[in-house]
Amino acid sequence: MQKGVTKVPFTPYQQFTIFILAITQFSVILDFMVMSPLGDMLMKSLSMKPSQFGFAVSGYAFSAGISGLLTAGFADRFDRKKLLLFFYSGFILGTLLCSMATSYPLLLAARIVTGLFGGVIGSISMAIITDLFDIHHRGRVMGFIQLGFGASQVLGIPVSLYIANVWGWQAPFLMVAILAALVVILIFLKLQPVTGHLAAQHDRSVIKHLLHTVSKRNYRIGFLSTALLSIGGFMMMPFSTAFAINNLRLTQQQLPMLFMVSGCCSLVIMPLIGKLSDKVDKFKLFACACVWMMAVVLIYTHLSVTPLWEVMIFNVLMMMGIMSRMIPSGALTTGIPDMPDRGAFMSINSSLQQIAGGVAAAFAGMIVVQKDKYSPLQHYDTLGYVIIGVSIVSIFLMYRVSVMVKNKLKEKVL
């Protein structure tokens, strides 16, 4: 534990809040991540080229980014519970539209609608976490919230792949919509209003509040740092399944096991990383994780035909690096904004992250080439080199974020 910080057990209501935000994240992450394991099936079923699939993924990201910018100005003017209910309900509608898509244009349109609502949910959740938990315990909270990521791989993705093989690729989206409908009822009935930030508001217009948030130099450094972090994941993720099937020669039947193993490891790793990030220097943990991830990415993107057990090992090692970056960086970033700006900061931060990821996915779709539906992907190794370069820059930027947060703690502003 960091010097001078006492571990305080969470109250029952705090535990419920962590649970409801984690399961909310689970549904949103599953909706987004299921595009990757369904990638090969979608490309073959809808006769999509890699570039078109890249745009289907980036369409969600671009619309999520635009939505985040549009909501940033008034994100701190409303009860965060009401905002969460509104955008989560829209997310359900978009996911239902995805389940009804019968062509590439309809799928792209549905992903755009889903992104308009789903892309803002993460920033609202982060603002709620920042309001309810101090920075010395946010690493632990982030570790539990990020369990949604691992759970989506352990439960969501294998189940989604199974029902997709039985009922078609549209079925997983319908499953997510039903789950989300149950969650929104829980939020409405059990989550208390989150209004503490309203008392600290200044009398600014929506535009002035947005411009005020963007104008702060420290905030802009945080925005850029988060945006760069998203580039790596968005570049590799959309084509990971197509790479596994067409290059590593795994089968559709082996994919559920692959995701389940890496997901189970994530469920163990993330809480440990969350606790560790509250005990050691968050930046040092982040930097070590970046170096780890770069090494694994370099090897993985150069693999050819590989047995399943070996691919599983590489996926687990890569997941360890990714998770060990996300949790400390997320906890550090929450320490940047002042209370009156938290909602706007988180919205802008999330939107720029999504836009950067959308650019990365679209760019990756232009780099990766596939001669026909069943031929190996070409230039996937180029994505690895780009990710390594971006990761090096992100280490430098996160160091600056760490210094800012430490100085702020010394001044007892938080």
Side-chain angles (χ1 to χ4, degrees), residues 341-378:
D341 305 326
R342 281 174 182 166
F345 176 89
M346 295 303 177
S347 292
I348 297 171
N349 192 57
S350 177
S351 67
L352 293 179
Q353 180 183 23
Q354 297 283 0
I355 291 172
V359 172
F363 184 62
M366 290 185 285
I367 292 176
V368 174
V369 177
Q370 188 176 25
K371 292 181 178 179
D372 57 58
K373 292 181 180 181
Y374 302 97
S375 61
L377 300 184
Q378 298 178 11

Side-chain angles (χ1 to χ4, degrees), residues 105-385:
L106 289 177
L107 177 65
L108 178 61
R111 296 310 293 165
I112 290 173
V113 172
T114 309
L116 285 172
F117 293 95
V120 184
I121 294 171
S123 64
I124 298 172
S125 298
M126 289 295 290
I128 292 174
I129 291 169
T130 309
D131 284 351
L132 299 184
F133 302 91
D134 66 73
I135 193 169
H136 298 298
H137 300 99
R138 286 177 202 158
R140 194 154 45 117
V141 176
M142 289 294 295
F144 286 113
I145 296 298
Q146 293 295 341
L147 282 175
F149 185 92
S152 69
Q153 291 194 305
V154 174
L155 300 173
I157 291 180
V159 172
S160 296
L161 285 171
Y162 174 78
I163 66 174
N165 287 329
V166 177
W167 289 299
W169 62 263
Q170 293 93 341
F173 293 107
L174 182 60
M175 178 190 72
V176 172
I178 294 172
L179 171 65
L182 298 176
V183 175
V184 83
I185 295 173
L186 271 180
I187 294 173
F188 178 77
L189 295 176
K190 298 293 185 180
L191 187 67
Q192 297 174 8
V194 184
T195 57
H197 60 288
L198 297 179
Q201 284 304 298
H202 300 289
D203 187 19
R204 298 192 188 101
S205 67
V206 171
I207 299 299
K208 285 184 178 179
H209 188 43
L210 175 61
L211 294 177
H212 164 78
T213 305
V214 176
S215 68
K216 290 192 174 184
R217 180 172 176 272
N218 287 355
Y219 291 4
R220 294 198 301 270
I221 294 173
F223 295 150
L224 181 58
S225 175
T226 303
L228 282 177
L229 277 178
S230 70
I231 290 178
F234 273 88
M235 290 197 80
M236 280 190 66
M237 184 273 295
F239 300 101
S240 60
T241 301
F243 179 75
I245 290 176
N246 297 289
N247 293 63
L248 306 184
R249 295 302 179 185
L250 301 188
T251 66
Q252 287 284 356
Q253 290 70 34
Q254 291 175 321
L255 289 181
M257 183 61 67
L258 174 64
F259 284 102
M260 185 171 290
V261 169
S262 59
C264 284
C265 292
S266 297
L267 291 178
V268 176
I269 294 167
M270 284 183 288
L272 295 177
I273 295 299
K275 292 178 181 179
L276 184 61
S277 69
D278 286 334
K279 294 180 180 180
V280 303
D281 185 274
K282 290 179 174 61
F283 168 72
K284 290 180 180 178
L285 179 60
F286 171 83
C288 292
C290 281
V291 174
W292 177 286
M293 189 204 71
M294 287 188 286
V296 178
V297 165
L298 181 63
I299 298 172
Y300 185 79
T301 54
H302 285 78
L303 292 178
S304 54
V305 179
T306 307
L308 176 62
W309 66 268
E310 195 172 332
V311 178
M312 286 180 176
I313 292 175
F314 277 110
N315 268 267
V316 170
L317 295 177
M318 194 180 309
M319 193 65 62
M320 289 174 62
I322 292 172
M323 289 296 99
S324 300
R325 292 195 325 162
M326 288 173 60
I327 292 173
S329 64
L332 277 174
T333 303
T334 62
I336 298 175
D338 301 321
M339 179 177 279
D341 305 326
R342 281 174 182 166
F345 176 89
M346 295 303 177
S347 292
I348 297 171
N349 192 57
S350 177
S351 67
L352 293 179
Q353 180 183 23
Q354 297 283 0
I355 291 172
V359 172
F363 184 62
M366 290 185 285
I367 292 176
V368 174
V369 177
Q370 188 176 25
K371 292 181 178 179
D372 57 58
K373 292 181 180 181
Y374 302 97
S375 61
L377 300 184
Q378 298 178 11
H379 308 309
Y380 196 71
D381 56 335
T382 303
L383 298 183
Y385 293 125

